Amino acid sequence: MSVSTSRVLQEFAARLGKGKVFLELPQRRMYRYDGIAVGETPAIVVLPETTQDVVEAVQLAQATGLPLVPRGAASGLSGGAVPTEESIVLCFTRMTRLELDPDRRLAIAQPGVVTAWISERAKPLGLTYPPDPASLRTSTLGGNLAENAGGPMCFKKGVTGDYVVELECVDAWGQVHRLRREAYDLPGLLIGSEGTLGIITEATLRLTPIPPHTRTLMAVFGEVGQAAEAVSRAIAAGAVPSKLEFMDQGCIRAVEDYLHMGLPVEAAALLLVDTDGDDPQIVEEELSWVAEACRECGGEVRVARDPQEAEQLWRARRSVSPALGRIRPKRLNEDIAVPRSTLPEVVRSIEALGRAYGFPLVQFGHIGDGNLHPNVMFDPESDDEDKVWEMLHEVARVALRHGGVLSGEHGIGLMKRDFMTEALDRESLEALWAIKRALDPAGRLNPGKVLPDLVSP
Amino acid sequence: MSVSTSRVLQEFAARLGKGKVFLELPQRRMYRYDGIAVGETPAIVVLPETTQDVVEAVQLAQATGLPLVPRGAASGLSGGAVPTEESIVLCFTRMTRLELDPDRRLAIAQPGVVTAWISERAKPLGLTYPPDPASLRTSTLGGNLAENAGGPMCFKKGVTGDYVVELECVDAWGQVHRLRREAYDLPGLLIGSEGTLGIITEATLRLTPIPPHTRTLMAVFGEVGQAAEAVSRAIAAGAVPSKLEFMDQGCIRAVEDYLHMGLPVEAAALLLVDTDGDDPQIVEEELSWVAEACRECGGEVRVARDPQEAEQLWRARRSVSPALGRIRPKRLNEDIAVPRSTLPEVVRSIEALGRAYGFPLVQFGHIGDGNLHPNVMFDPESDDEDKVWEMLHEVARVALRHGGVLSGEHGIGLMKRDFMTEALDRESLEALWAIKRALDPAGRLNPGKVLPDLVSP
């Protein structure tokens, strides 16, 4: 960093207020990583408390030529919040204002609001915010918006973007906009764009009434294809499960090793299904369609008798992360989405990749919309990390070969940026770049994310 | 038109096949207008039958420098499909392929498919396509996508864009893209952009199960504010009506004059409400919350005893268009959306405008999301049409002053393009123009729509 840049950063820190800026190396080093990758140490970390602070950070980027990397809790799993060069990291964890408008069923939230807070605050009013990424107790709304996060409920209730009514954002020139979802849906363009087109500083979100009744079942199958077929049949019968989770054998075994709850370790696939709604009889009937479909496809079904048993069954799914952590010190969590009919073949192909590369591998995910999370466990001390990434690239190729997409809900980020050249044709990538250049001609907003470098043909 | 352009058009017609191209003046003159405005006679009308035909029309635009104006049934109410200069009109009424995939609950439709066909074809499979613009028996999907059309069911079930999974489109360079709703939501950007950013040639749409039960009520009120308050209370009580329509006194009187069905012509406001769902008891209970809220706010409630009576009540709403046609030969149908709490004041302000300008005026709309349609009736022989447009501009200003937006569901088109400078600040308009220039640098796609000309400051 040049002496003059260094002086500009010092002046900025003095002007914005010392508490809002980190310039010391030990502090800055804490803002290099997200849930999956480690990047470059930022030149400065800004913790804005207001939209105006964000505007000033953008002006700092203009003055110094340093890029801006927005982040929240940094629990992301695709490297989207990781600086790839010397940057201004803009950490939103202090922008936590959250207001509810129960009459209009809206929440107005700043990006640093932890996702789970919204439903917690809305609960006494009989309302909820449905998007439920697994990280919802740590991840912040800004990151959910940037990645357009989903969760187990997304099959019935949609993803983050489906709940956005209005956004406030700061553009690459430091201008503040309030954008609604009208002609030219700019909020929709910003959602899922990982901070590469503009910086979201506030979101107005739709809340929905809490469904009063929920029922749960678990089903186990001898083959993955049976589970996929059961889901298709249940949906064809009219069921719209509110949660629909799949675990493969590797995943079942890892959880059983961890919890000793009596899961069938010989089973090839496990489904966890919730139905919910206003009427207990309908919720029950919907669950019975799912149970019947599972049995017809050769599954063994266990219906939870009460909320306690349901809670117990869901513990299996919630324990996947800690269970996997015991197998190897590190893991990479892939995130693909494929047509549900291709799931058996996709799961088998990915299992074969795990065997070929010699890494322990488990698969689980939101089977309703074919969103699968193959997880590769490895030891950075003894394993070749390049091999892990090579294998993940092959996993992405399996998805693309079966008509799937690179990301179900984690985003493209750093991790899958290069795969984009295989997922989209050159003309479509050029259209994405045209939009990027239109909204960020200097390339200052989260560079090195989402869009692959295009080499001239 | 130059002789060389004329020759290029002749050659194009010969190559594409005579039946797909209109070059004769009487035919071309039929493609000047939509449901609200008349524009310039196009230089050529192309009726593509395949995506490749669309590509060739784009190449024709490149070769001749003529702009492209896509249209379907031309039932639009904002001038979006009206040529503002000598153009290539691309009429999609022959691209009517419609395939259903009941297992995946999807419809794959070309832009010329009439909206109502989708639900008609899906009905035997127990499925439906919820977006229900009033024009659904004539309007085509391409126009619904271009305007992101809503309808009476949008409060509960969302608008056109909420059902789009994937789009095929042709860009300004004639390249064909298949776009899913992933990082950089390009389909979302195209939806509602009125053909100014790309030309949609196919859409993959989500279908939903048909709710088996519906209940209907009508409520009349002495004041508009009572109706708005009743809706707010019903929603706060937990009701999510599947349809929720408002008519003001002018509208009630026009319909009563036409149908003589015994509507209370002294009432200031009328609500028509449907609840729907899987369980008849819940549907009934939800309706009872609405009825209670209406009575608490001073409304008189009539609950339909059976589907025949419900049908009868809804006839009032469906007859608005023919009823208004009897008052004056022409009408302009405004389309604003305002926060529901401001509705009484907005309705009163717009009534006052009608009195001030001396035009008969009625108001109705989808009150659930504050979408109001003030309709101005006039006689082009005796009335000054400029005054009508001036008044509509004032109506738009009322919406903006109350925190509303220019369009609920009809789009900006030609009609409200100039109002955009009052609805959005200059920076936001420049962001929209930046996107337009990135995707259509030569300005060939439906010029003169949506975006106002920006005069240098």
Side-chain angles (χ1 to χ4, degrees):
Chain A
M1 196 194 312
S2 73
V3 177
S4 74
T5 299
S6 176
R7 190 175 313 127
V8 173
L9 298 185
Q10 298 282 354
E11 285 165 6
F12 177 84
R15 195 173 67 251
L16 205 68
K18 197 109 201 198
K20 294 184 192 175
V21 177
F22 293 151
L23 280 172
E24 302 302 315
L25 183 63
Q27 293 170 314
R28 287 188 280 123
R29 285 175 60 87
M30 306 291 286
Y31 291 83
R32 280 179 302 161
Y33 54 83
D34 73 350
I36 200 156
V38 181
E40 298 297 318
T41 301
I44 182 171
V45 177
V46 181
L47 294 105
E49 294 176 7
T50 63
T51 299
Q52 185 52 35
D53 291 345
V54 177
V55 169
E56 299 205 13
V58 174
Q59 288 165 349
L60 179 68
Q62 289 179 303
T64 58
L66 288 170
L68 277 162
V69 180
R71 63 168 254 168
S75 54
L77 293 169
S78 62
V82 168
T84 55
E85 55 189 290
E86 197 170 56
S87 305
I88 302 166
V89 162
L90 206 53
C91 177
F92 280 95
T93 45
R94 290 188 190 169
M95 280 180 73
T96 56
R97 202 184 62 239
L98 172 61
E99 285 161 22
L100 301 190
D101 180 343
D103 284 347
R104 299 176 65 200
R105 284 193 185 154
L106 296 175
I108 297 112
Q110 285 184 320
V113 165
V114 172
T115 313
W117 295 352
I118 307 170
S119 286
E120 277 164 19
R121 284 274 305 278
K123 196 176 176 184
L125 306 163
L127 297 171
T128 189
Y129 171 67
D132 61 339
S135 57
L136 85 174
R137 307 214 154 269
T138 47
S139 66
T140 49
L141 180 65
N144 290 187
L145 291 164
E147 308 294 349
N148 199 10
M153 298 220 288
C154 68
F155 176 65
K156 181 169 184 180
K157 314 210 170 165
V159 295
T160 303
D162 295 318
Y163 292 84
V164 175
V165 175
E166 190 173 327
L167 291 181
E168 182 190 79
C169 75
V170 178
D171 70 17
W173 295 268
Q175 296 287 348
V176 182
H177 305 271
R178 288 202 76 86
L179 302 167
R180 294 194 235 186
R181 313 205 68 167
E182 42 200 334
Y184 287 20
D185 182 10
L186 290 188
L189 190 61
L190 285 175
I191 295 160
S193 72
E194 309 192 17
T196 62
L197 300 178
I199 300 168
I200 296 168
T201 47
E202 189 185 279
T204 304
L205 304 168
R206 222 160 33 86
L207 303 174
T208 64
I210 300 173
H213 302 283
T214 302
R215 295 283 274 131
T216 300
L217 69 73
M218 177 186 280
V220 293
F221 299 86
E223 277 175 43
V224 172
Q226 294 174 334
E229 175 60 23
V231 169
S232 293
R233 281 202 203 185
I235 292 171
V240 187
S242 58
K243 293 188 192 172
L244 195 49
E245 292 287 299
F246 160 82
M247 290 163 58
D248 79 345
Q249 189 172 58
C251 195
I252 298 170
R253 289 184 176 183
V255 171
E256 181 57 23
D257 270 358
Y258 177 56
L259 288 185
H260 306 291
M261 64 185 279
L263 295 178
V265 292
E266 293 312 313
L270 181 152
L271 291 181
L272 269 164
V273 183
D274 270 10
T275 57
D276 73 1
D278 293 324
D279 181 72
Q281 269 182 303
I282 296 283
V283 174
E284 183 74 44
E285 196 180 325
E286 221 178 321
L287 199 79
S288 75
W289 297 338
V290 180
E292 210 177 296
C294 289
R295 287 193 194 101
E296 279 169 15
C297 296
E300 254 178 71
V301 178
R302 180 174 155 195
V303 175
R305 278 154 306 188
D306 50 42
Q308 290 69 40
E309 195 180 343
E311 173 63 23
Q312 183 64 17
L313 295 182
W314 275 105
R315 235 186 115 206
R317 173 65 182 86
R318 276 203 315 278
S319 304
V320 167
S321 272
L324 299 183
R326 299 166 71 240
I327 299 179
R328 291 287 186 280
K330 276 197 84 172
R331 70 178 165 117
L332 281 173
N333 184 348
E334 244 294 357
D335 166 49
I336 56 176
V338 296
R340 209 167 47 234
S341 58
T342 67
L343 207 80
E345 213 184 303
V346 166
V347 167
R348 272 194 300 272
S349 304
I350 294 175
E351 275 172 4
L353 283 174
R355 283 192 302 273
Y357 279 87
F359 292 116
L361 176 138
V362 307
Q363 305 186 67
F364 55 91
H366 318 313
I367 195 172
D369 52 0
N371 187 189
L372 193 67
H373 296 311
N375 274 237
V376 187
M377 272 71 69
F378 64 99
D379 185 340
E381 301 286 312
S382 55
D383 291 322
D384 178 357
E385 205 156 336
D386 286 348
K387 282 276 155 205
V388 179
W389 285 94
E390 189 186 309
M391 178 177 156
L392 287 181
H393 199 152
E394 292 302 324
V395 167
R397 285 192 174 125
V398 170
L400 297 177
R401 221 165 40 231
H402 289 84
V405 293
L406 283 183
S407 168
E409 57 185 16
H410 295 171
I412 301 299
L414 194 60
M415 181 176 163
K416 299 198 204 173
R417 187 172 95 98
D418 290 339
F419 307 174
M420 287 281 275
T421 51
E422 291 168 50
L424 292 178
D425 57 34
R426 190 173 176 94
E427 288 72 30
S428 297
L429 286 173
E430 274 167 359
L432 299 186
W433 266 111
I435 286 177
K436 168 71 174 172
R437 278 191 302 265
L439 296 182
D440 179 26
R444 257 185 225 112
L445 301 177
N446 210 6
K449 310 297 161 56
V450 187
L451 299 178
D453 297 327
L454 284 187
V455 186
S456 299
Chain B
M1 195 191 316
S2 73
V3 177
S4 73
T5 299
S6 176
R7 191 177 310 129
V8 173
L9 297 185
Q10 297 283 354
E11 286 165 4
F12 177 83
R15 197 174 64 248
L16 204 68
K18 196 110 199 198
K20 294 185 192 174
V21 176
F22 293 150
L23 281 172
E24 304 301 314
L25 182 64
Q27 292 170 315
R28 286 188 280 122
R29 284 174 61 86
M30 305 292 285
Y31 291 83
R32 280 178 303 162
Y33 53 84
D34 74 348
I36 199 155
V38 181
E40 298 298 319
T41 302
I44 182 171
V45 178
V46 181
L47 293 106
E49 294 177 6
T50 63
T51 299
Q52 184 53 34
D53 291 345
V54 177
V55 170
E56 298 203 14
V58 174
Q59 287 164 351
L60 179 69
Q62 289 179 304
T64 58
L66 289 169
L68 278 162
V69 180
R71 63 167 252 167
S75 54
L77 293 168
S78 61
V82 168
T84 55
E85 54 189 291
E86 197 170 56
S87 304
I88 302 166
V89 162
L90 205 53
C91 177
F92 280 95
T93 44
R94 292 188 189 170
M95 281 182 71
T96 56
R97 202 182 63 238
L98 172 61
E99 286 161 23
L100 300 189
D101 180 343
D103 284 347
R104 298 175 66 199
R105 284 194 185 153
L106 296 175
I108 298 112
Q110 285 184 320
V113 165
V114 172
T115 313
W117 297 352
I118 308 172
S119 286
E120 276 163 20
R121 284 274 306 278
K123 197 176 174 185
L125 305 164
L127 297 172
T128 190
Y129 170 67
D132 61 341
S135 58
L136 85 173
R137 308 214 153 268
T138 48
S139 67
T140 50
L141 180 64
N144 289 186
L145 291 164
E147 306 296 349
N148 199 11
M153 297 219 287
C154 70
F155 175 65
K156 182 171 184 180
K157 314 208 172 169
V159 294
T160 304
D162 294 320
Y163 292 85
V164 175
V165 175
E166 190 173 327
L167 291 181
E168 182 189 80
C169 76
V170 178
D171 70 18
W173 295 267
Q175 296 287 349
V176 182
H177 305 270
R178 286 203 77 85
L179 301 168
R180 295 195 235 186
R181 311 205 69 166
E182 40 200 335
Y184 286 20
D185 182 10
L186 289 188
L189 190 61
L190 285 176
I191 295 160
S193 71
E194 309 193 17
T196 62
L197 300 178
I199 300 167
I200 295 168
T201 48
E202 190 188 280
T204 304
L205 304 168
R206 222 159 34 84
L207 303 173
T208 63
I210 300 173
H213 302 283
T214 302
R215 295 285 273 131
T216 299
L217 69 73
M218 178 187 279
V220 292
F221 300 85
E223 278 176 42
V224 172
Q226 294 174 333
E229 174 61 23
V231 169
S232 294
R233 280 204 204 183
I235 292 172
V240 187
S242 57
K243 293 188 192 172
L244 195 48
E245 293 286 299
F246 160 84
M247 289 162 59
D248 78 345
Q249 189 173 58
C251 195
I252 297 169
R253 290 183 175 184
V255 171
E256 181 57 23
D257 270 356
Y258 177 57
L259 289 185
H260 306 292
M261 64 185 279
L263 294 178
V265 293
E266 293 311 313
L270 180 154
L271 290 181
L272 269 163
V273 183
D274 271 9
T275 57
D276 74 1
D278 293 324
D279 182 72
Q281 269 182 303
I282 295 285
V283 175
E284 184 73 44
E285 196 179 324
E286 221 177 322
L287 198 79
S288 74
W289 296 339
V290 180
E292 209 177 296
C294 289
R295 289 192 192 101
E296 281 170 13
C297 296
E300 251 179 73
V301 177
R302 178 173 157 198
V303 175
R305 275 153 309 185
D306 49 43
Q308 289 70 39
E309 194 179 345
E311 173 63 22
Q312 184 65 18
L313 296 181
W314 275 106
R315 234 185 116 205
R317 173 65 182 85
R318 275 203 315 278
S319 304
V320 168
S321 272
L324 298 184
R326 298 166 72 241
I327 299 178
R328 290 286 185 282
K330 275 197 83 171
R331 69 178 164 118
L332 281 173
N333 184 347
E334 245 292 358
D335 166 48
I336 57 176
V338 296
R340 209 165 47 234
S341 58
T342 67
L343 207 79
E345 213 183 303
V346 166
V347 168
R348 272 194 300 271
S349 304
I350 294 174
E351 274 171 4
L353 283 173
R355 283 192 301 272
Y357 279 86
F359 293 116
L361 177 138
V362 309
Q363 305 186 66
F364 56 92
H366 318 312
I367 195 173
D369 52 1
N371 186 189
L372 194 67
H373 295 311
N375 274 238
V376 188
M377 273 72 69
F378 63 100
D379 185 340
E381 301 287 311
S382 55
D383 291 322
D384 178 357
E385 205 156 336
D386 286 348
K387 282 275 157 207
V388 180
W389 285 95
E390 188 186 310
M391 178 179 156
L392 287 181
H393 199 153
E394 291 303 324
V395 168
R397 285 193 174 125
V398 171
L400 296 177
R401 219 164 43 227
H402 289 84
V405 294
L406 283 183
S407 168
E409 56 186 17
H410 294 172
I412 301 300
L414 193 61
M415 180 177 165
K416 300 200 203 171
R417 188 172 94 97
D418 290 338
F419 306 173
M420 287 281 276
T421 51
E422 290 167 51
L424 292 178
D425 57 34
R426 191 176 174 94
E427 289 71 29
S428 298
L429 286 172
E430 274 168 359
L432 299 186
W433 266 112
I435 286 177
K436 169 73 174 170
R437 278 191 301 266
L439 297 182
D440 179 26
R444 259 186 224 109
L445 302 178
N446 209 7
K449 311 297 161 52
V450 188
L451 299 179
D453 297 327
L454 284 187
V455 185
S456 299

